[in-house]
Amino acid sequence: MASTVADILSLIQYRVPAQGDYYHLINQSIRLIAKRLYVFNSGILKSDLSLSFPGPETYAAATISFDATTSPNTIKDSANGFVSGGLTANSIITTSSTTNPGPFTPTTVAVGTLTLLASDSVTTEAAGTSVTITEVNDYANLPSDFWGLSTGPEDDIWIDGRQWILTPLTSRLGALLYPGSGQPVYYEIRGTKFYVYPGASEAMTIKGVYFVKPTAVTATSSAIPFNEEFDDVIADYTVAAFKETPLATLQGMLYDAVD
């Protein structure tokens, strides 16, 4: 079982006063260690990347409405055609509605209701005009803890179930050469989105390896990352930082520990 903030506090008891801003200092040390591990391409920070791309499917009907009064917001279809229309949960969608163009992400798909992410917001709009819903097939949202792709020579990006490795997009020409839909050849990361060129012509999963951004600790029960390998240095850093040790010395402590 992973160590917790309580274990770090146990290591530093009697070395510092009983009260102090220890969460801030522990988080500071965790982030500095993580950055050092990132530079060394350490497997301690790595996790499997799995991104789903739909066909894509489209569904059009004059019975589609948007409801901002529900929590989370929803898109509804009185004709109950969402499932038979091929829409899938957790795929990114856009719509032909000028009021609610999207993009949205339905976390669940029922025959008559798309329940959206809590962060998605629609404007209430009644049915009556034909609306087309289209699943996005050229990008997917990266995990919320994404901190960059792994840089190891063995850490390729590939299409699951196929002998096909994707190549990083090196110029805009590559994207221009592969418009529309097909089997992706190139990939690109822009902000929090993972783009492929061309867009996926059928449902597929793209896999790889990525660095996980450490979660900030906020309570004594919060888990400390790194499989207990750096608990001692986190404790020593916290004590030294509390005693106002110069920043260069603090960083040196961590660099010596993470080599």
Side-chain angles (χ1 to χ4, degrees), residues 118-132:
S119 57
D120 285 346
S121 178
V122 304
T123 299
T124 295
E125 181 181 356
T129 301
S130 182
V131 172
T132 300

PDB file of all heavy atoms in Angstrom, residues 118-132:
ATOM      1  N   ALA A 118     -20.365  16.984 -16.581  1.00  0.00           N
ATOM      2  CA  ALA A 118     -20.807  18.052 -15.687  1.00  0.00           C
ATOM      3  C   ALA A 118     -20.277  19.409 -16.131  1.00  0.00           C
ATOM      4  O   ALA A 118     -20.906  20.448 -15.884  1.00  0.00           O
ATOM      5  CB  ALA A 118     -20.354  17.741 -14.264  1.00  0.00           C
ATOM      6  N   SER A 119     -19.124  19.419 -16.795  1.00  0.00           N
ATOM      7  CA  SER A 119     -18.532  20.683 -17.251  1.00  0.00           C
ATOM      8  C   SER A 119     -19.118  21.177 -18.566  1.00  0.00           C
ATOM      9  O   SER A 119     -18.860  22.308 -18.971  1.00  0.00           O
ATOM     10  CB  SER A 119     -17.019  20.522 -17.400  1.00  0.00           C
ATOM     11  OG  SER A 119     -16.707  19.466 -18.287  1.00  0.00           O
ATOM     12  N   ASP A 120     -19.917  20.335 -19.246  1.00  0.00           N
ATOM     13  CA  ASP A 120     -20.550  20.753 -20.498  1.00  0.00           C
ATOM     14  C   ASP A 120     -21.799  21.575 -20.198  1.00  0.00           C
ATOM     15  O   ASP A 120     -22.570  21.242 -19.289  1.00  0.00           O
ATOM     16  CB  ASP A 120     -20.946  19.533 -21.342  1.00  0.00           C
ATOM     17  CG  ASP A 120     -19.752  18.887 -22.016  1.00  0.00           C
ATOM     18  OD1 ASP A 120     -18.683  19.516 -22.043  1.00  0.00           O
ATOM     19  OD2 ASP A 120     -19.897  17.750 -22.512  1.00  0.00           O
ATOM     20  N   SER A 121     -22.001  22.606 -20.979  1.00  0.00           N
ATOM     21  CA  SER A 121     -23.140  23.495 -20.753  1.00  0.00           C
ATOM     22  C   SER A 121     -23.886  23.738 -22.053  1.00  0.00           C
ATOM     23  O   SER A 121     -23.276  24.064 -23.073  1.00  0.00           O
ATOM     24  CB  SER A 121     -22.655  24.829 -20.172  1.00  0.00           C
ATOM     25  OG  SER A 121     -23.732  25.721 -19.983  1.00  0.00           O
ATOM     26  N   VAL A 122     -25.219  23.550 -22.021  1.00  0.00           N
ATOM     27  CA  VAL A 122     -26.055  23.825 -23.184  1.00  0.00           C
ATOM     28  C   VAL A 122     -27.014  24.960 -22.861  1.00  0.00           C
ATOM     29  O   VAL A 122     -27.204  25.330 -21.703  1.00  0.00           O
ATOM     30  CB  VAL A 122     -26.856  22.578 -23.629  1.00  0.00           C
ATOM     31  CG1 VAL A 122     -25.930  21.411 -23.913  1.00  0.00           C
ATOM     32  CG2 VAL A 122     -27.913  22.204 -22.588  1.00  0.00           C
ATOM     33  N   THR A 123     -27.615  25.503 -23.909  1.00  0.00           N
ATOM     34  CA  THR A 123     -28.707  26.466 -23.770  1.00  0.00           C
ATOM     35  C   THR A 123     -30.005  25.742 -24.129  1.00  0.00           C
ATOM     36  O   THR A 123     -30.069  25.041 -25.149  1.00  0.00           O
ATOM     37  CB  THR A 123     -28.502  27.657 -24.725  1.00  0.00           C
ATOM     38  OG1 THR A 123     -27.287  28.317 -24.384  1.00  0.00           O
ATOM     39  CG2 THR A 123     -29.660  28.633 -24.624  1.00  0.00           C
ATOM     40  N   THR A 124     -31.010  25.881 -23.272  1.00  0.00           N
ATOM     41  CA  THR A 124     -32.268  25.174 -23.522  1.00  0.00           C
ATOM     42  C   THR A 124     -32.808  25.532 -24.906  1.00  0.00           C
ATOM     43  O   THR A 124     -32.902  26.703 -25.274  1.00  0.00           O
ATOM     44  CB  THR A 124     -33.308  25.526 -22.448  1.00  0.00           C
ATOM     45  OG1 THR A 124     -32.840  25.029 -21.179  1.00  0.00           O
ATOM     46  CG2 THR A 124     -34.654  24.894 -22.760  1.00  0.00           C
ATOM     47  N   GLU A 125     -33.124  24.501 -25.671  1.00  0.00           N
ATOM     48  CA  GLU A 125     -33.580  24.677 -27.050  1.00  0.00           C
ATOM     49  C   GLU A 125     -34.604  23.591 -27.353  1.00  0.00           C
ATOM     50  O   GLU A 125     -34.337  22.407 -27.180  1.00  0.00           O
ATOM     51  CB  GLU A 125     -32.390  24.586 -28.006  1.00  0.00           C
ATOM     52  CG  GLU A 125     -32.729  24.775 -29.469  1.00  0.00           C
ATOM     53  CD  GLU A 125     -31.500  24.656 -30.362  1.00  0.00           C
ATOM     54  OE1 GLU A 125     -30.370  24.507 -29.839  1.00  0.00           O
ATOM     55  OE2 GLU A 125     -31.675  24.692 -31.604  1.00  0.00           O
ATOM     56  N   ALA A 126     -35.763  24.003 -27.798  1.00  0.00           N
ATOM     57  CA  ALA A 126     -36.838  23.054 -28.075  1.00  0.00           C
ATOM     58  C   ALA A 126     -36.612  22.336 -29.405  1.00  0.00           C
ATOM     59  O   ALA A 126     -35.886  22.810 -30.283  1.00  0.00           O
ATOM     60  CB  ALA A 126     -38.176  23.781 -28.098  1.00  0.00           C
ATOM     61  N   ALA A 127     -37.239  21.171 -29.543  1.00  0.00           N
ATOM     62  CA  ALA A 127     -37.194  20.428 -30.797  1.00  0.00           C
ATOM     63  C   ALA A 127     -38.061  21.121 -31.841  1.00  0.00           C
ATOM     64  O   ALA A 127     -38.844  22.019 -31.527  1.00  0.00           O
ATOM     65  CB  ALA A 127     -37.661  18.998 -30.571  1.00  0.00           C
ATOM     66  N   GLY A 128     -37.929  20.695 -33.082  1.00  0.00           N
ATOM     67  CA  GLY A 128     -38.756  21.259 -34.148  1.00  0.00           C
ATOM     68  C   GLY A 128     -37.986  21.463 -35.430  1.00  0.00           C
ATOM     69  O   GLY A 128     -38.532  21.333 -36.524  1.00  0.00           O
ATOM     70  N   THR A 129     -36.710  21.807 -35.306  1.00  0.00           N
ATOM     71  CA  THR A 129     -35.843  21.961 -36.478  1.00  0.00           C
ATOM     72  C   THR A 129     -34.879  20.787 -36.520  1.00  0.00           C
ATOM     73  O   THR A 129     -34.349  20.366 -35.485  1.00  0.00           O
ATOM     74  CB  THR A 129     -35.050  23.277 -36.389  1.00  0.00           C
ATOM     75  OG1 THR A 129     -35.963  24.374 -36.306  1.00  0.00           O
ATOM     76  CG2 THR A 129     -34.152  23.466 -37.603  1.00  0.00           C
ATOM     77  N   SER A 130     -34.630  20.255 -37.692  1.00  0.00           N
ATOM     78  CA  SER A 130     -33.733  19.104 -37.812  1.00  0.00           C
ATOM     79  C   SER A 130     -32.338  19.458 -37.309  1.00  0.00           C
ATOM     80  O   SER A 130     -31.762  20.481 -37.693  1.00  0.00           O
ATOM     81  CB  SER A 130     -33.658  18.634 -39.259  1.00  0.00           C
ATOM     82  OG  SER A 130     -32.821  17.491 -39.352  1.00  0.00           O
ATOM     83  N   VAL A 131     -31.813  18.613 -36.441  1.00  0.00           N
ATOM     84  CA  VAL A 131     -30.471  18.781 -35.877  1.00  0.00           C
ATOM     85  C   VAL A 131     -29.671  17.514 -36.175  1.00  0.00           C
ATOM     86  O   VAL A 131     -30.172  16.404 -35.992  1.00  0.00           O
ATOM     87  CB  VAL A 131     -30.525  19.012 -34.355  1.00  0.00           C
ATOM     88  CG1 VAL A 131     -29.121  18.993 -33.753  1.00  0.00           C
ATOM     89  CG2 VAL A 131     -31.216  20.339 -34.037  1.00  0.00           C
ATOM     90  N   THR A 132     -28.446  17.702 -36.642  1.00  0.00           N
ATOM     91  CA  THR A 132     -27.551  16.574 -36.897  1.00  0.00           C
ATOM     92  C   THR A 132     -26.488  16.517 -35.812  1.00  0.00           C
ATOM     93  O   THR A 132     -25.815  17.517 -35.544  1.00  0.00           O
ATOM     94  CB  THR A 132     -26.865  16.697 -38.270  1.00  0.00           C
ATOM     95  OG1 THR A 132     -27.862  16.727 -39.289  1.00  0.00           O
ATOM     96  CG2 THR A 132     -25.922  15.524 -38.502  1.00  0.00           C
TER      97      THR A 132
END
